[in-house]
Each structure stands twice: as C-alpha cells, then as structure tokens.
Amino acid sequence: MSDSSRNADAPDASAGSKGRVTAAPRFPGGPSPDPAGSHHERRIRSFQPRRSRVTTSQGDALRRLWPTWGLDIDGLRTLDLAELFGDEQGPRPDLPVVLEIGFGMGEATAEMAAADPDTGILAVDVHTPGQGNLLGLAERKGLDNVRVANGDAIILLREMLPPQCLDGLRVYFPDPWPKARHHKRRLIQPEFLTLAAPSLKPGALLHCATDWEPYAEQMLEVLTAHPDFENTQPDGGYAPRPAFRPRTRFEGQGLDKGHVVHDLLFRRVAPTSATAQD
C-alpha cells in the first residue's frame, strides 16, 4: 500500500522494544489521537470519530496553529478561559465565551466568529480534517476569538470547565442516531443537560438545531421538562432560525432531501440558593 493511499487521519504505527505496535501522532504538537487516555471511564459515546483524508493545508494548519489555538480535552486540568482566549495584551477576562459542540468543517463557526468578534467560541470536535480546516479559516480571516478543542465534550464539561463560565452552548445538527436501539447515544438527554447547566451563566442561551424531526421532538420534550432551562418562545415551541446561525452545508443537504430544520432556543434559569449550595 502506498503512503498516498493510507488514511491520512490514522496514526502512524511503529514497533516498540517488545514488538508492540505503538501509535504516534500524525501531527506532532497537534491534536492527540486519544487525549483523555485511560484517565476517565469508558462509556457509551454520543459521537463517532470520522476518518477522512487530511489535506495538505489542513495538516499545515494543525502543525502550526494547534500549539496556540488548540487544546486536547484530557480531563486533567481546569481551564481558565480568560487565559485560553488571551492575546498579546494578556488574558481577556471580559470576553464572553460560547461552547460549540460538533462543528464539522468549521465554515459556520468561522462565519459566526467573524460576525461577532467580541465573543469567544470554544469549538469542540473529534474530526481531524475539520479541526485543521477551522484553524486555517481562523488564520485566513484574522479571527482571534476561536479556540479548537479535541476530544469528548462530556469530559470537558464535567472535568475542565469552572462553574458559570459560559455565556452560551451551541449544538448544531448532532448525530440523530435514528435507530431506536441507538437513541441512548443521542447527546441531548436529561443527564447531559444536568451536566452542562452548572457551567452556564444564568441567562445563557442553549441553542440546538436539527433536521431530524423525531430528534427535534425529543429535544423539545427533554428541554421543556428540565428545571434548569426555559424556552425563549412564548408558545413553548420551536424558534425561528436566528440570524446569527448561518445555514450550513450539512443543513443544505438535509433541506435538499426534504428535511425540516428545527431550532430550539432555551435559556439557563438562575439556580436557586439550594441548588447553588449543592
């Protein structure tokens, strides 16, 4: 097999001293193939790592920009978002930060970052080509308000984010896991909302979008029932697509197939004094 026909997203392999095959990162200094390693329990994943070819420009962006704008979700430290989004003038403690889970190739993320330069976007995904693509877009567009995180967003929320540090949470077109036996893998579940709520400031916006109608119905039901969130829509239903969310390529593909896109906009309710003490 020639090198050009290998999966460019797969780690290189070499024989260890005892004949073991060990994985080496494809992009030294870039995202780790398994950032959390064995530090945290294995569980049902709400995502599937996608393997596709990393282009030359994406690989170059990963090598050059990851040390500055990227981070691995290792679960071993608490992030200081002011430091993470700092620049040559130092930390930026007044910068509001939104967490985006699953950004695909990053085009919509870069567009939102360009339209709102006074908001930081912490964008999480496990797709290496998309990570490289978003880093390249951020550099070309001169965006200093994007940071790219590699790994499991559950570990990020549970282990690495301090309380009430986020001004928003975006989950656009998550995997719908359409088969009934896979519904437990869907991200938007009561347990996920309970996990995410403490990291959100009171009034922070949770924005979900999906083109899979049964999943939209589940999202609406789960969010409506959760005590930490309230619907921004007076009628308790879906929201019109807000102007700040661009139409993504994935969304266009769904619309071409006749799918209906639903947006859900819920607000983080201020915790009660009893909740705050727990």
Side-chain angles (χ1 to χ4, degrees):
M1 180 182 292
S2 67
D3 187 64
S4 61
S5 63
R6 293 174 57 196
N7 184 337
D9 196 22
D12 290 329
S14 58
S17 59
K18 296 184 180 180
R20 262 193 336 261
V21 175
T22 57
R26 181 73 173 171
F27 305 99
S32 169
D34 186 15
S38 60
H39 302 301
H40 300 279
E41 75 280 3
R42 298 298 177 183
R43 59 177 180 80
I44 294 172
R45 292 286 187 256
S46 60
F47 59 87
Q48 291 189 97
R50 293 171 292 149
R51 302 305 181 200
S52 57
R53 186 164 298 280
V54 177
T55 66
T56 300
S57 62
Q58 291 163 0
D60 176 65
L62 287 167
R63 293 184 184 94
R64 291 188 300 103
L65 303 174
W66 189 263
T68 303
W69 289 346
L71 68 108
D72 280 322
I73 300 173
D74 56 18
L76 300 178
R77 58 203 162 109
T78 300
L79 294 177
D80 183 332
L81 296 184
E83 290 280 355
L84 181 66
F85 283 88
D87 54 23
E88 60 273 9
Q89 275 79 48
R92 301 167 72 181
D94 298 325
L95 184 76
V97 176
V98 172
L99 174 64
E100 182 179 359
I101 300 178
F103 56 80
M105 295 305 291
E107 294 98 336
T109 305
E111 188 173 338
M112 289 186 290
D116 186 10
D118 293 325
T119 295
I121 300 179
L122 177 55
V124 180
D125 211 306
V126 295
H127 187 45
T128 312
Q131 293 166 351
N133 200 61
L134 178 53
L135 288 170
L137 287 170
E139 182 181 49
R140 291 193 293 276
K141 295 176 179 288
L143 306 175
D144 64 356
N145 59 330
V146 174
R147 299 295 182 268
V148 180
N150 168 54
D152 191 340
I154 299 297
I155 294 176
L156 175 70
L157 285 163
R158 191 181 63 206
E159 309 288 347
M160 300 180 68
L161 290 180
Q164 297 188 15
C165 65
L166 297 174
D167 293 81
L169 173 59
R170 297 168 180 168
V171 184
Y172 297 155
F173 304 97
D175 194 324
W177 296 101
K179 295 181 180 179
R181 68 176 184 271
H182 292 156
H183 285 182
K184 61 182 176 292
R185 297 177 180 268
R186 288 176 172 174
L187 181 63
I188 305 302
Q189 307 273 9
E191 298 80 9
F192 171 77
L193 298 178
T194 299
L195 175 67
S199 295
L200 294 167
K201 298 176 182 177
L205 197 64
L206 170 58
H207 183 193
C208 302
T210 181
D211 69 329
W212 194 258
E213 192 130 21
Y215 196 8
E217 293 169 356
Q218 177 188 324
M219 287 180 178
L220 184 60
E221 179 181 351
V222 169
L223 281 161
T224 300
H226 201 283
D228 291 333
F229 296 91
E230 63 181 5
N231 200 332
T232 62
Q233 303 306 298
D235 64 357
Y238 302 111
R241 180 176 68 85
F244 66 79
R245 182 178 74 77
R247 175 171 160 174
T248 67
R249 180 169 52 181
F250 183 86
E251 180 179 1
Q253 292 171 353
L255 292 171
D256 290 343
K257 297 175 183 176
H259 296 182
V260 177
V261 175
H262 291 294
D263 284 79
L264 300 94
L265 291 170
F266 277 71
R267 187 176 293 110
R268 169 70 164 112
V269 176
T272 64
S273 56
T275 303
Q277 291 172 4
D278 289 343

